[in-house]
Amino acid sequence: MTKAVQPLAPIHDAKSLRSARELAYAEFREHQSVTKLTKQLSKLSDQLLMNLWSSCDLNNEATLVAVGGFGRGALFPFSDIDILILLPDNQKLIAEVLSSKIEKFVAYCWDTGLEIGSSVRTVAECVSEAEQDITVRTSLLEARLICGKTTLFKEFSKAFESSLDPKAFFQAKLAEQIQRHYKYQDTPYSLEPNCKESPGGLRDLQVISWVSKAALLGNTFKDLHQAGLLTQRELTELNRNQKFLETLRANLHLLAGRRQDVLAFDLQAPLAKAMGITEDSSRLASEAIMRRYYWAAKAVTQLNDVLLQNIEALLFSQESKTIRPIPGEGNEYFIERQGVLDITDPQLYQKHPEQILRTFLAFAQTANVKSLSATIFRALYNARQTMGSKWRSDPVNRALFMEILKQPEGVSRTFHLMNRTSVLGRYLPAFRRIVGQMQHDLFHVYTVDQHILMVLRNVRRFMVVEHTHEFPFCSRLIAHFEKPWLLVIAALFHDIAKGRGGDHSVLGKADTRKFARDHGLDKTDTELLVWLVSEHLNMSQVAQKQDLTDPDVIKGLPKKWVMSATLRPFTY
């Protein structure tokens, strides 16, 4: 339970504001209580704004409203202080009486160190702007009265709420989130992610709050739990990861001395120190905190999917009733609902653990299905303990995994989804070890697991007819391979031993050989896979730094390379 924020000393000017902020920063650095910090900073700003507002004699003529993050009462050290100056609808009165007072108030704000983002509108203008701009609509959704005419604020609240269409708002925020995720390459695993805007960041948590508030489902995650949209476990996970991300962001601001949301390389080690994370014998402190960030972002991404789909089902209840069976042998437990794959029984994975991997096979085989349902995401999230050694060694699951690898379409998107839901790491423990593993070089821009999946995607693109124009030679070459899926396995394992110390291309051979043995690959296929993994660094050096059109270069290649190129899986 959050402790009550202690009363603050009166804030009248720039000096008292700066002094009070520094005290709040010092307390946060010592105790890392981010909720207390953001509430304190909001209250400090409230106090000064009320004093300045009163000094400009605006109390009985207009209303001062906090909006955006400031409206939530969650102000970070260097966040903008967004305010709305709400005016009566009498335009003549505004022009003649209030204009000079408002200008004076805004000037006072900046003079005292309040970096405000301000707008001046009537109630009618607020409603009009909100209808045209989703950003304005979202900001006003979190409006909070600071001071001034209470009746005017009540008038605004009533008008805004009656004009808000929950369905249209949901669709607009979902489209906005899709665009934002695309901007950040649809992955939280950049080596320098944005803890606010990247997928799995704070913005994804805020989207949940915004759409639930607009749909009158509640203002907090606890409200969603009480409404039956969140399990207790999910509520705990959301609160824990929100606290971590907010603590991270507050420390970033203080370390940079400005608004800083990108976890830049040069800030990662100081950030770890500020949050009490130290290095151990196997991992630098910067790697430890980034790994913790990636796991938090992954959980937020999963829970964002679950909640948005559940809210969507409530808002669009008629549309969610349209279901279609998934064709194919063994797919009797699966249906399509609104373009997503769903299951007929929420307890399916507890009763039939082998259906976990079949879910992804059905997903790969169904082209018109774009994602998994909230029911599946939630069921997979709660079935993690089911995916142990017995599950991994089940011959049925091994056969299903190989079948997924061999699918003619959908393999890349399926593996991304398997990683996103943690199923891939549960099935391949060696892969789980490199989820969120940093790479300290200029060649890689993502964590090891994301780099592997991108290589897998690129290999798969050579096999898809629609992409032959991109690399025609590679596509023409791979079209004649007898077992092209072997390259997919090689892509999956080529960097799987990174972070263990030593040459990962050598260490990865053991993992590759074990996988081949467990999945019944013959000796020829096994040796080819092991060779591809062990030699991938050397092949990269030759391909990128030597002239492959030079006959002497080709003649100088190791004999083993030439011999391996003639193995049976490759029929020219």
Side-chain angles (χ1 to χ4, degrees):
M1 183 178 292
T2 304
K3 294 180 180 179
V5 177
Q6 297 299 313
L8 299 166
I11 307 299
H12 299 288
D13 53 23
K15 184 177 180 181
S16 60
L17 176 65
R18 187 164 53 250
S19 177
R21 280 176 171 174
E22 288 302 325
L23 285 174
Y25 298 159
E27 184 178 0
F28 170 73
R29 289 187 179 101
E30 182 177 356
H31 300 291
Q32 295 290 298
S33 177
V34 70
T35 303
K36 184 174 183 179
L37 172 68
T38 56
K39 287 186 180 297
Q40 278 185 331
L41 294 179
S42 295
K43 284 184 176 289
L44 291 172
S45 298
D46 279 358
Q47 280 192 23
L48 184 51
L49 284 166
M50 284 188 283
N51 288 332
L52 297 176
W53 185 263
S54 180
S55 70
C56 293
D57 195 26
L58 283 161
N59 274 323
N60 297 318
E61 299 179 89
T63 304
L64 183 61
V65 180
V67 293
F70 184 37
R72 287 195 303 274
L75 200 60
F76 286 84
F78 290 93
S79 291
D80 286 339
I81 300 168
D82 294 322
I83 60 172
L84 164 67
I85 299 172
L86 195 58
L87 303 175
D89 286 323
N90 189 324
Q91 295 293 334
K92 185 176 180 181
L93 179 65
I94 296 168
E96 294 179 357
V97 180
L98 297 183
S99 153
S100 61
K101 292 182 179 181
I102 290 169
E103 289 177 5
K104 183 179 178 182
F105 168 74
V106 172
Y108 279 176
C109 287
W110 284 98
D111 289 344
T112 53
L114 289 175
E115 297 186 5
I116 61 170
S118 60
S119 57
V120 183
R121 298 190 182 103
T122 64
V123 171
E125 288 171 341
C126 286
V127 172
S128 176
E129 287 291 324
E131 288 175 348
Q132 298 174 47
D133 190 329
I134 184 63
T135 303
V136 174
R137 209 180 320 164
T138 306
S139 182
L140 294 179
L141 185 66
E142 301 191 287
R144 172 176 60 85
L145 175 66
I146 299 176
C147 59
K149 293 181 68 174
T150 305
T151 54
L152 188 56
F153 181 74
K154 289 180 179 178
E155 180 188 339
F156 155 77
S157 298
K158 185 178 179 180
F160 178 74
E161 287 173 11
S162 63
S163 70
L164 187 61
D165 180 349
K167 289 185 177 181
F169 184 79
F170 179 90
Q171 290 172 325
K173 295 311 292 184
L174 185 61
E176 190 179 66
Q177 176 172 285
I178 291 170
Q179 291 176 346
R180 175 170 51 83
H181 285 185
Y182 180 77
K183 177 181 176 182
Y184 290 94
Q185 290 77 49
D186 281 313
T187 177
Y189 298 102
S190 166
L191 296 186
E192 293 184 305
N194 186 308
C195 69
K196 181 182 178 184
E197 302 288 348
S198 290
L202 284 167
R203 187 66 84 201
D204 281 8
L205 293 173
Q206 291 164 2
V207 169
I208 296 169
S209 298
W210 291 328
V211 297
S212 60
K213 188 172 184 178
L216 302 179
L217 296 171
N219 299 334
T220 66
F221 295 142
K222 185 177 180 180
D223 292 334
L224 293 177
H225 170 57
Q226 292 174 342
L229 292 170
L230 268 179
T231 67
Q232 181 59 53
R233 182 177 180 181
E234 290 164 349
L235 175 64
T236 302
E237 284 286 304
L238 272 176
N239 287 331
R240 182 171 64 87
N241 288 306
Q242 181 180 39
K243 183 179 179 181
F244 171 78
L245 291 172
E246 287 181 344
T247 304
L248 195 78
R249 188 181 184 216
N251 277 295
L252 271 176
H253 281 207
L254 293 177
L255 285 169
R258 57 184 173 82
R259 184 168 60 184
Q260 170 72 25
D261 296 327
V262 175
L263 281 78
F265 283 127
D266 60 337
L267 291 174
Q268 290 172 8
L271 183 61
K273 183 178 180 181
M275 294 180 67
I277 297 174
T278 57
E279 63 182 87
D280 56 33
S281 57
S282 61
R283 185 174 286 119
L284 297 172
S286 59
E287 292 179 335
I289 195 168
M290 291 306 297
R291 192 176 181 88
R292 175 71 183 87
Y293 169 81
Y294 294 129
W295 283 103
K298 188 175 188 178
V300 168
T301 301
Q302 291 174 355
L303 293 170
N304 174 275
D305 280 328
V306 169
L307 279 166
L308 290 187
Q309 285 194 39
N310 281 339
I311 294 170
E312 184 177 25
L314 285 176
L315 290 173
F316 303 89
S317 56
Q318 281 301 117
E319 293 89 336
S320 66
K321 292 178 181 177
T322 305
I323 61 173
R324 298 180 183 85
I326 299 295
E329 185 180 351
N331 290 338
E332 60 271 15
Y333 293 109
F334 302 99
I335 55 175
E336 177 196 342
R337 193 193 307 270
Q338 285 185 278
V340 300
L341 186 70
D342 205 352
I343 48 179
T344 56
D345 180 3
Q347 300 300 314
L348 176 64
Y349 304 138
Q350 305 296 334
K351 299 173 184 176
H352 303 285
E354 75 283 354
Q355 294 299 322
I356 293 173
L357 285 182
R358 182 163 292 280
T359 301
F360 294 95
L361 179 59
F363 178 78
Q365 292 173 334
T366 314
N368 59 317
V369 164
K370 304 305 178 186
S371 185
L372 305 180
S373 70
T375 305
I376 289 182
F377 276 121
R378 175 169 282 162
L380 290 172
Y381 189 79
N382 292 315
R384 287 176 294 177
Q385 302 309 315
T386 305
M387 294 179 264
S389 58
K390 182 180 178 181
W391 176 79
R392 286 190 289 271
S393 59
D394 188 331
V396 173
N397 286 328
R398 288 177 173 175
L400 284 168
F401 190 81
M402 290 301 297
E403 198 170 348
I404 294 170
L405 279 167
K406 296 177 182 179
Q407 288 301 299
E409 296 180 3
V411 174
S412 177
R413 69 189 188 113
T414 300
F415 270 84
H416 274 278
L417 204 49
M418 288 173 72
N419 185 45
R420 184 173 168 184
T421 54
S422 301
V423 172
L424 184 55
R426 295 282 175 174
Y427 187 76
L428 297 175
F431 190 90
R432 181 175 170 82
R433 292 176 64 178
I434 48 91
V435 171
Q437 173 68 43
M438 295 286 287
Q439 303 191 83
H440 300 281
D441 56 54
L442 297 176
F443 181 73
H444 300 94
V445 294
Y446 297 104
T447 54
V448 180
D449 57 315
Q450 289 302 296
H451 164 71
I452 284 177
L453 292 177
M454 287 184 177
V455 171
L456 185 151
R457 181 199 65 180
N458 290 338
V459 168
R460 281 288 309 168
R461 287 174 81 89
F462 298 151
M463 305 176 193
V464 179
V465 174
E466 288 81 357
H467 298 293
T468 54
H469 65 283
E470 295 175 0
F471 297 97
F473 177 73
C474 294
S475 297
R476 188 167 65 252
L477 193 63
I478 208 167
H480 296 286
F481 288 1
E482 184 180 328
K483 299 178 181 178
W485 47 268
L486 285 169
L487 291 182
V488 178
I489 299 176
L492 191 59
F493 278 85
H494 81 283
D495 276 354
I496 207 163
K498 275 196 169 181
R500 299 185 198 172
D503 187 338
H504 70 275
S505 62
V506 175
L507 295 173
K509 290 166 60 176
D511 293 323
T512 309
R513 195 176 293 280
K514 181 179 185 304
F515 175 88
R517 182 177 65 248
D518 290 344
H519 291 79
L521 272 65
D522 63 32
K523 182 179 179 181
T524 301
D525 292 344
T526 300
E527 292 307 315
L528 175 62
L529 278 175
V530 171
W531 173 76
L532 286 169
V533 171
S534 65
E535 294 292 328
H536 80 273
L537 289 178
N538 293 328
M539 284 189 270
S540 176
Q541 289 288 321
V542 171
Q544 296 181 63
K545 296 186 176 181
Q546 295 190 41
D547 183 3
L548 295 179
T549 63
D550 185 344
D552 291 336
V553 170
I554 302 302
K555 290 177 183 177
L557 293 176
K559 283 186 177 180
K560 193 173 182 181
W561 284 27
V562 179
M563 289 173 63
S564 296
T566 64
L567 289 173
R568 276 188 57 81
F570 290 5
T571 303
Y572 300 99

